[in-house]
Amino acid sequence: MRKKIVVANWKMNNTQDEAIHLVTAIISKINNLTLKEVEVVIAPSYLYIKDVIELTKGNLNITVAAQNCSEHLKGAYTGEVSSIMLHSIGVKYVIVGHSERRAYQNENNLLLKQKIDLILSNHLLPIYCCGESLEERNSDEHFSVVENQLNEALFHLPMELMKKLVIAYEPVWAIGTGVTATVNQTQEMHQFIRNVISKKYNSSIADSISVLYGGSCNSTNASELFACEDVDGGLVGGVSLAANDFVKIVESFID
Ligand code: PEP
C-alpha cells in the first residue's frame, strides 16, 4: 500500500515566533486525529528547521522537509545549504524542482538531477515536483513536458533509489492561483506519471511511489482530489500557513 503524504510548504513565510506558533497548533490538532497511514511533512524555511524538528520530536506522523538544497556536497558556495548538513540535523525530505525555483532560480532538469543524486546519497528523500505551464497545457504539451521532467531528472536512477522518491504533480497554472486542476485532469496526469515510471522501471515500482497533487489545494477540494485512484496526498502552499485549514486537508484521508 502506498504511503499517504500531505506536505506543508511554508515557502518564504513566517517569523520564528510565527513558525513555532504554527507548528505547535498543527501538532496539537494532528494529535487529536487517528492517523494510521498519513505522514504530515512540514517544510519550513531553513532557519526554523531545527525548531520544527525539536517540536515534532516523538510525533510519528510528522516529519520535516527542506524546501531546497545545494547541488554541491560542500565547500566554497557561500549562502548554500548542502544535503549532508540537512541530514545531520534530522531532516527527512527535500523538495526539489518546485516551479518557483525553476522560474526564479532558473533550475533545469539537469541541475535537479545533480541535486537528487546528492540528496539520495546523503540518506534524504527527494519530493520531486513536476508540472506544465498554462501555455503548455493549452497547446497540449502537458504530457510530454512532464515526461521530459521525469526522464531528464530521475530516469538515470537505479530501481532501488527510484523507489525512494515521492513525486508531486503541480501544474504551474494552479500554484497560488486559486485555480485547481479538475479531478479528471489530476487523475489523468497521475496515472500518466505512473505509466511512464512503469514503462521505464516496472509496475511494482510505479505502484509503490506516492504521487502527490499540488496547486491551490484547500479544505474544500482536497477530499475529491485525494479520492482519485492515483493521488496519494498533496503538496500544500498557501493553506498550510493556517493550522485549522491545513489539518482539515489532512483529515480528508480519514473516513
Ligand atoms: C506549492 O507551493 O507547491 C503550492 C501548491 O502552493 P499553493 O497550495 O498555494 O497553490
Side-chain angles (χ1 to χ4, degrees), residues 89-148:
I89 62 166
V91 169
K92 179 172 178 185
Y93 295 99
V94 183
I95 299 174
V96 195
H98 193 283
S99 63
E100 287 152 13
R101 295 200 62 85
R102 290 182 191 258
Y104 309 140
Q105 268 74 36
N106 291 321
E107 295 194 351
N108 61 30
N109 295 333
L110 297 178
L111 178 103
L112 300 172
K113 174 183 176 188
Q114 281 175 256
K115 292 192 181 199
I116 283 171
D117 287 345
L118 279 180
I119 290 166
L120 288 165
S121 62
N122 286 295
H123 317 289
L124 297 163
L125 305 173
I127 300 173
Y128 180 67
C129 303
C130 57
E132 79 287 354
S133 66
L134 187 57
E135 203 185 4
E136 287 159 346
R137 178 158 282 264
N138 287 341
S139 54
D140 240 352
E141 291 170 81
H142 45 299
F143 291 120
S144 61
V145 166
V146 169
E147 182 164 10
N148 198 40

Side-chain angles (χ1 to χ4, degrees), residues 9 11 98 100 170 174-177 214-217 235-239:
N9 178 14
K11 309 194 189 192
H98 193 283
E100 287 152 13
E170 299 210 300
I175 296 181
T177 59
S216 298
C217 198
L235 205 172
V236 185
V239 173

Side-chain angles (χ1 to χ4, degrees), residues 6-7 18-19 26 43 65 69 76-77 86 88 97 108 115 124-125 131 141 170 190:
V6 183
V7 184
E18 286 165 348
I26 291 173
C69 72
Y77 300 101
L86 294 171
S88 75
N108 61 30
K115 292 192 181 199
L124 297 163
L125 305 173
E141 291 170 81
E170 299 210 300
H190 282 232

Side-chain angles (χ1 to χ4, degrees), residues 47-238:
L47 288 176
Y48 317 134
I49 285 180
K50 272 208 101 169
D51 294 314
V52 173
I53 287 177
E54 280 304 313
L55 289 163
T56 56
K57 213 169 248 169
N59 191 316
L60 297 179
N61 289 108
I62 307 182
T63 56
V64 178
Q67 296 174 18
N68 179 40
C69 72
S70 170
E71 68 274 27
H72 302 289
L73 189 58
K74 61 177 185 170
Y77 300 101
T78 303
E80 291 293 303
V81 172
S82 73
S83 45
I84 207 164
M85 293 170 174
L86 294 171
H87 181 252
S88 75
I89 62 166
V91 169
K92 179 172 178 185
Y93 295 99
V94 183
I95 299 174
V96 195
H98 193 283
S99 63
E100 287 152 13
R101 295 200 62 85
R102 290 182 191 258
Y104 309 140
Q105 268 74 36
N106 291 321
E107 295 194 351
N108 61 30
N109 295 333
L110 297 178
L111 178 103
L112 300 172
K113 174 183 176 188
Q114 281 175 256
K115 292 192 181 199
I116 283 171
D117 287 345
L118 279 180
I119 290 166
L120 288 165
S121 62
N122 286 295
H123 317 289
L124 297 163
L125 305 173
I127 300 173
Y128 180 67
C129 303
C130 57
E132 79 287 354
S133 66
L134 187 57
E135 203 185 4
E136 287 159 346
R137 178 158 282 264
N138 287 341
S139 54
D140 240 352
E141 291 170 81
H142 45 299
F143 291 120
S144 61
V145 166
V146 169
E147 182 164 10
N148 198 40
Q149 289 170 336
L150 300 175
N151 190 24
E152 290 190 351
L154 307 182
F155 285 176
H156 63 292
L157 293 171
M159 262 186 219
E160 67 276 10
L161 291 181
M162 187 65 193
K163 280 199 283 214
K164 296 179 187 264
L165 250 83
V166 174
I167 293 177
Y169 168 56
E170 299 210 300
V172 180
W173 45 271
I175 296 181
T177 59
V179 179
T180 314
T182 64
V183 166
N184 285 348
Q185 287 170 328
T186 305
Q187 170 54 25
E188 184 182 47
M189 183 58 89
H190 282 232
Q191 191 176 42
F192 173 79
I193 289 170
R194 235 180 268 294
N195 287 343
V196 171
I197 297 171
S198 180
K199 259 189 243 149
K200 173 70 191 173
Y201 294 89
N202 60 47
S203 61
S204 87
I205 298 234
D207 285 342
S208 70
I209 292 179
S210 297
V211 184
L212 317 181
Y213 167 80
S216 298
C217 198
N218 59 41
S219 53
T220 310
N221 59 33
S223 31
E224 62 173 8
L225 290 164
F226 294 179
C228 295
E229 194 184 331
D230 287 295
V231 177
D232 306 303
L235 205 172
V236 185

